[in-house]
Every structure is written in structure tokens, then in C-alpha cells.
Amino acid sequence: FGIVGVSLAMPCEKDKDAILNTAKAFLDDKLRAAKTFKVETKRADKTFPMNSIQLSQYVGGELSEAFPEVAVDVHNPEVLIMVEIRDFGAYIHARQLPGAGGMPVGTAGRAAILISGGIDSPVAAWMMAKRGITLDAIHFASPPYTSLRAEQKVKKLLSKVAEYSGTIRLGIVPFTELQQTIAEKCPEEYFTLIMRRMMMRISQRLAEKSGSLALITGESVGQVASQTLPALVTTDAVVSLPVFRPVIGMDKDEIIEISRKIDAFETSIEPYEDCCTVFTPKHPKTKPTLGQLIHAEKNLDREALILQAIENTEKITVKYDDEPYL
């Protein structure tokens, strides 16, 4: 992220004839294969004796004579020749490969993404990284209910995001005992909501340790029972860090479109379950109140469970060029 485009350019002296001769030689094959062209000039060095329009007209006119089979088209040229006059030389190029755009990597601070093996959270990570956020990732694993393949799937998804964002630090949080305790001591209809609240508490502690200033999730309003507006309110109530939800107003088709764009979709739909599908209640509460959740959690020793999970968190790094995980 932060790179708008990349061009293969040929440098030369800042002289109109050197620029013309370089353009002829460097772009010979492109001009001979084209039907139309146009020359544009960007002049960062304002001391150059010709202004941008004058230099474009000069180079364009000479090229038109040298390649008479190619017509000038100032509106929709097949080949757009760029001449850039910079401090230490002139540069000629004719094709820009598009970059990822966005804000330069790491310029907007650090935040922690709660990453599952699904479609939504990798997209949310990608969207926030595009705004210059350095990503840390937190994944909750519940062996033996979730397999090692599920963890490998998450690493592979993060490697897709890392192609745009750079290296991502990943914390894998053991969640089995905590989920079993919730199942034993809390009302079933609140299982998922209490689990999400515990995830948020643990994630905030880990985020604060790593210097992250916010949490990121892949939640979208109404997509599942724990993502209704009342449910999200009870989830956010347990943390003080801001929670960013970049896909909150998107429907599934829109999220899938981005997932395909970043080459994460096929990995996301592989059949390795994450801990969010474990202990799912038959009739989850969709319109909870904060008071109901506080009462439902009353039998939990929350602090002990949180500290144990944090103490046993495995920390690794994920890079874009890591060997394939699956």
C-alpha cells in the first residue's frame, strides 16, 4: 500500500534533444506497434528552459515525423508518453503498472485485527491496512475442537493481506478452556455473546501490550445473531479501545468481491472451522441488554481466565513470501 503506480523509465540529460533521442530509442517498439500517441510533460524542475506544453509539443512533433504511421491523439491515445523533468535528470516512460494505492504502510499507527478463518476478517484487515494501519493479528484457537489446519488457514489468509501491508505479528490465543467454562457456568442463549466479550477483553490486553491503539473486527450488521446492533453494543461495552468495523455496512456479496480481489476467497471457504462455530447455542439471544450479559457472566472468574489465555498465547510473524501453509 502507498504505491499508486510503477513505471519502467529511461533517464537522460535534461536537454530537449537528449529527451527526444531517448524517447525514440526507448519507445521504438511501442510506437511502431501503436496507431495513436500523445506526449505529456511534468516539470518538477522549473528552471528547465521550456515549459511543459512547449516540451510536449516539441517531442510530439518530432516523434510524429519519425513515426509517420502513428497519429497524434490528445484525447484517447493508445500510447501515452510521459516526460518528467526532475532535479537530477529527465525520465521517459510510456506505461504505468497500477499499484495498490492507499496510504503508505505504517503511516497511520498500529491496530489489532481479530482474525478468524472466514471471509470477513481478512477483508477488514486489508481495508484498514490500506489506510496506513500497521496490523497485529489475534486468532482464537480451540483444540481439539479446531484443528491445526484451521490455524494454518489463518496464517495463509494473513499472508495474502501481508502482500499489501507487510509483515503481520500474529498471536494465537488458546480458547478451549475458556469456552468450556462458559458452557458450564453461563446460560446457553448467551454463549456466543459472552465468548465475544471475552475475546474483546483479551484482545484489548494484547493490543495494549503491542502498542496497538484500536481493535478491528470483520463484523457486519445483522449478518449473524451476535452482530445485531444490541449485541454489538454489549460487545463494545467491555473495552475502552476504539473498535473499527470497516465492513459493518456491506452485504456479503460486496465483501466477497474484495475477498476475491485479494485472492483470499478460496482459502476462506476451505472447510476448517474456527472457534466461533464451537458451542453455538441453538437459540442465541439477538436483542440482549448490557444488564443481561453482566448477570449471565456472574459465575465466571473472568480475570483468571483472561490472564491464563494471555500467558499461553503463541506469538509468530507472518510474511507475504512465507512458504504456503496449505
Side-chain angles (χ1 to χ4, degrees):
F1 284 127
I3 297 175
V4 175
V6 179
S7 300
L8 180 64
M10 180 66 74
C12 66
E13 295 181 13
K14 291 190 288 185
D15 172 81
K16 66 184 182 68
D17 293 322
I19 291 169
L20 173 61
N21 291 331
T22 300
K24 285 181 179 178
F26 183 53
L27 303 175
D28 181 84
D29 58 337
K30 287 184 174 60
L31 287 169
R32 292 189 185 281
K35 294 181 179 179
T36 59
F37 80 99
K38 175 186 177 182
V39 178
E40 288 188 3
T41 300
K42 293 182 179 180
R43 194 171 58 113
D45 179 4
K46 302 302 182 184
T47 65
F48 190 78
M50 302 171 74
N51 64 33
S52 297
I53 294 175
Q54 290 171 336
L55 183 56
S56 294
Q57 289 175 337
Y58 169 73
V59 173
E62 294 296 322
L63 289 177
S64 185
E65 290 188 12
F67 300 90
E69 69 279 7
V70 188
V72 174
D73 184 345
V74 297
H75 300 293
N76 188 31
E78 189 176 337
V79 175
L80 176 60
I81 299 172
M82 294 298 305
V83 178
E84 299 195 30
I85 309 297
R86 301 203 174 207
D87 290 342
F88 302 106
Y91 299 85
I92 294 90
H93 56 91
R95 182 188 178 198
Q96 186 177 83
L97 300 175
M103 296 280 286
V105 171
T107 57
R110 182 180 295 274
I113 171 76
L114 280 70
I115 185 85
S116 69
I119 298 170
D120 304 335
S121 54
V123 170
W126 181 86
M127 292 177 70
M128 295 309 301
K130 190 172 185 179
R131 303 314 305 155
I133 296 289
T134 297
L135 296 174
D136 287 341
I138 301 170
H139 174 66
F140 293 85
S142 297
Y145 303 106
T146 59
S147 67
L148 180 60
R149 300 284 283 182
E151 291 183 31
Q152 292 172 330
K153 177 182 174 182
V154 166
K155 294 173 187 176
K156 186 176 180 181
L157 288 170
L158 287 175
S159 74
K160 298 291 186 182
V161 178
E163 292 184 25
Y164 298 84
S165 70
T167 300
I168 299 172
R169 302 186 304 198
L170 169 63
I172 301 175
V173 182
F175 209 53
T176 308
E177 184 174 342
L178 198 151
Q179 285 186 295
Q180 290 173 335
T181 303
I182 292 173
E184 293 169 2
K185 297 187 176 182
C186 301
E188 181 184 354
E189 62 185 337
Y190 295 104
F191 281 179
T192 302
L193 290 170
I194 295 172
M195 178 188 72
R196 295 292 296 173
R197 281 160 62 91
M198 293 299 288
M199 285 181 172
M200 297 295 277
R201 291 180 174 113
I202 293 168
S203 296
Q204 172 157 295
R205 302 277 186 97
L206 292 172
E208 289 172 342
K209 281 188 174 184
S210 71
S212 290
L213 301 177
L215 301 176
I216 306 166
T217 77
E219 291 162 313
S220 173
V221 169
Q223 190 162 245
V224 295
S226 63
Q227 295 177 20
T228 63
L229 198 56
L232 294 175
V233 169
T234 65
T235 300
D236 284 5
V238 301
V239 294
S240 57
L241 289 179
V243 181
F244 298 148
R245 295 182 171 95
V247 303
I248 192 71
M250 299 170 69
D251 62 33
K252 203 65 175 183
D253 288 340
E254 292 171 314
I255 298 170
I256 288 173
E257 182 179 352
I258 297 176
S259 180
R260 291 186 185 279
K261 174 181 177 180
I262 64 176
D263 193 30
F265 180 73
E266 296 301 326
T267 301
S268 291
I269 62 174
E270 290 172 351
Y272 306 116
E273 294 184 329
D274 59 53
C275 72
C276 293
T277 60
V278 180
F279 303 114
T280 302
K282 293 180 180 179
H283 303 288
K285 192 77 171 178
T286 58
K287 296 181 180 180
T289 66
L290 189 56
Q292 289 171 338
L293 264 298
I294 292 173
H295 181 74
E297 291 179 346
K298 64 184 177 62
N299 292 325
L300 292 179
D301 187 350
R302 293 198 306 264
E303 188 64 18
L305 292 168
I306 291 169
L307 292 176
Q308 183 178 2
I310 291 173
E311 183 179 347
N312 292 295
T313 295
E314 177 188 1
K315 297 179 181 179
I316 61 174
T317 58
V318 177
K319 301 178 181 178
Y320 76 93
D321 57 351
D322 282 340
E323 291 298 314
Y325 291 99
L326 294 173

